[in-house]
Structures are given as C-alpha cells and as structure tokens.
C-alpha cells in the first residue's frame, strides 16, 4: 500500500463515488461512509455522538460495525460497492 490513505484503486473509487449517476440510498451511503472510514482510519475509537445527533449516531454506528476489519479488506469492499453502485 502506498500510504495511509490507500491504494490507487481505492482513491479512484472514492472519486467515482462522488459522481454516481443516481443518488444512493441512506443505507448505501452509510455503508460507503463506514467502509471509507475503516479503510482510511481503521477502528472507530471516537465517542458516540449525543442523542440529538441522529445522523452522526447513524454514521458512528455504521463505522463501529466494521470494527476489526483490516484497512485493506475495508478498501476492497468499498471498491466493490462503488463498482456495484456504478451499474445501477
């Protein structure tokens, strides 16, 4: 791997995720977010947002659900998800 942000295919997928031809569902967006964070940062060790931050809690929960996955595995799953979304 070239650096802590990932390999070329992962970086390309992150760029392509911003230009999808349709709006992904909330679940798809949460999955993209969680895999991206796990693939770049690793396990979530931040405190859970407060009860009034619904969106923040959903993102935190999605990322925390990936705990234990390697950065490389998360990046590959992210690439695969972006490829699947591009076909929709």
């Amino acid at each position: 791997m070239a650096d802590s942000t990932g390999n070329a295919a992962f970086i390309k997928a992150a760029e392509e995720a911003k230009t999808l031809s349709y709006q992904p569902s909330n679940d798809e967006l949460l999955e993209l977010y969680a895999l991206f964070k796990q693939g770049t940062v690793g396990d979530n060790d931040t405190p859970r947002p407060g009860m009034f931050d619904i969106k923040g809690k959903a993102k935190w929960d999605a990322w925390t659900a990936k705990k234990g996955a390697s950065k490389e595995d998360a990046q590959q799953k992210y690439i695969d998800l972006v490829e699947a979304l591009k076909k929709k």
Side-chain angles (χ1 to χ4, degrees):
M1 189 177 320
D3 58 33
S4 63
T5 59
N7 61 38
F10 177 71
I11 294 166
K12 181 176 183 256
E15 288 300 314
E16 290 174 341
K18 297 174 187 173
T19 61
L20 293 171
S21 60
Y22 86 107
Q23 177 63 40
S25 70
N26 285 338
D27 287 343
E28 290 166 336
L29 289 171
L30 282 173
E31 185 71 5
L32 283 169
Y33 172 82
L35 290 169
F36 183 84
K37 292 295 277 187
Q38 189 70 22
T40 55
V41 179
D43 288 347
N44 183 1
D45 62 0
T46 62
R48 191 169 193 247
M51 68 174 155
F52 295 112
D53 186 358
I54 308 277
K55 184 177 180 181
K57 282 196 307 187
K59 290 168 77 173
W60 189 93
D61 289 344
W63 180 14
T64 300
K66 304 297 180 202
K67 190 171 191 161
S70 71
K71 287 184 178 184
E72 294 79 11
D73 188 45
Q75 289 180 9
Q76 187 57 55
K77 288 181 178 177
Y78 182 90
I79 293 165
D80 294 345
L81 178 56
V82 170
E83 287 302 312
L85 293 175
K86 284 170 40 182
K87 294 175 183 168
K88 286 191 171 190

